[in-house]
Amino acid sequence: AALAWVAAESSSPFNELFIVEPIVSREGLPPGSSPLAQATLRRRKSFPSAEQAIASYSTKEAFRTVAPSVLEAYVRGGFRERSDGSVELKCSPHVEASIFNSHNTLVHKLAQIRCPVKVFVGEHGFFSGRGPQTLVNLSTFQNTIPNATVVQADGLGHLACFENTNLLVGPIVKCIGGALSRKYASL
């Protein structure tokens, strides 16, 4: 959703945008009321080791279908090691929660996005009705963003990009390739 915000600016650097399961809250929510922000604040921010973080995350519903190698890369990239060998999240829960709490101001900006947007959603992701009811629904993206195309990944959930990395490679390469060919067509 952060990229959608940038794309809505008049000086957007994007020729095309590919977003996966974007988190955007409905307008009109009281400040600080995002259930995602509240859940984020309850998230454990440190573990005695990376291995224990991986073991803990592997038991969470959202990560159950994520390949072990992808989960390990997620933890190793998303945590920093402390001098005592323990690990802590690089992005603190308070920072992430503040981002979720600010998203209810994004909906009105979606119509300002001028570049083509591919919205990639998992069949069992947040847009399937399984996510918090405080999020915008998929039709909001389709009806508000002028050049939006929705791509649904059958069998995948909110973490679709972690569940089947190969499924996303083709659409991302095509999106990037199209943008590059348009940019350099006049050379």
Side-chain angles (χ1 to χ4, degrees), residues 23 25 34 36-37 40 43 95-104:
I23 303 292
S25 297
S34 165
L36 290 172
T40 299
R43 181 177 301 145
V95 169
E96 188 174 359
S98 70
I99 293 168
F100 287 143
N101 277 325
S102 68
H103 280 182
N104 67 344

Side-chain angles (χ1 to χ4, degrees), residues 96-158:
E96 188 174 359
S98 70
I99 293 168
F100 287 143
N101 277 325
S102 68
H103 280 182
N104 67 344
T105 60
L106 175 60
V107 175
H108 72 280
K109 293 184 72 78
L110 294 176
Q112 298 170 17
I113 298 174
R114 296 293 168 239
C115 65
V117 178
K118 292 213 180 359
V119 183
F120 191 92
V121 298
E123 177 185 14
H124 305 295
F126 282 174
F127 292 102
S128 68
R130 296 173 188 212
Q133 297 306 303
T134 55
L135 298 178
V136 299
N137 58 34
L138 193 53
S139 65
T140 299
F141 280 93
Q142 292 173 307
N143 297 331
T144 308
I145 301 173
N147 299 310
T149 303
V150 174
V151 179
Q152 181 175 302
D154 295 338
L156 300 182
H158 177 63

Side-chain angles (χ1 to χ4, degrees), residues 40-110:
T40 299
L41 290 172
R42 293 189 300 271
R43 181 177 301 145
R44 186 173 173 181
K45 66 179 185 177
S46 64
F47 293 87
S49 69
E51 290 72 23
Q52 289 182 359
I54 293 166
S56 176
Y57 274 59
S58 69
T59 66
K60 307 297 183 207
E61 182 65 32
F63 289 93
R64 285 206 176 121
T65 57
V66 174
S69 61
V70 175
L71 178 56
E72 180 177 352
Y74 174 79
V75 168
R76 300 225 184 258
F79 285 77
R80 77 173 52 84
E81 188 170 346
R82 296 175 175 164
S83 60
D84 64 358
S86 65
V87 294
E88 69 179 342
L89 286 166
K90 288 181 180 176
C91 179
S92 80
H94 289 287
V95 169
E96 188 174 359
S98 70
I99 293 168
F100 287 143
N101 277 325
S102 68
H103 280 182
N104 67 344
T105 60
L106 175 60
V107 175
H108 72 280
K109 293 184 72 78
L110 294 176

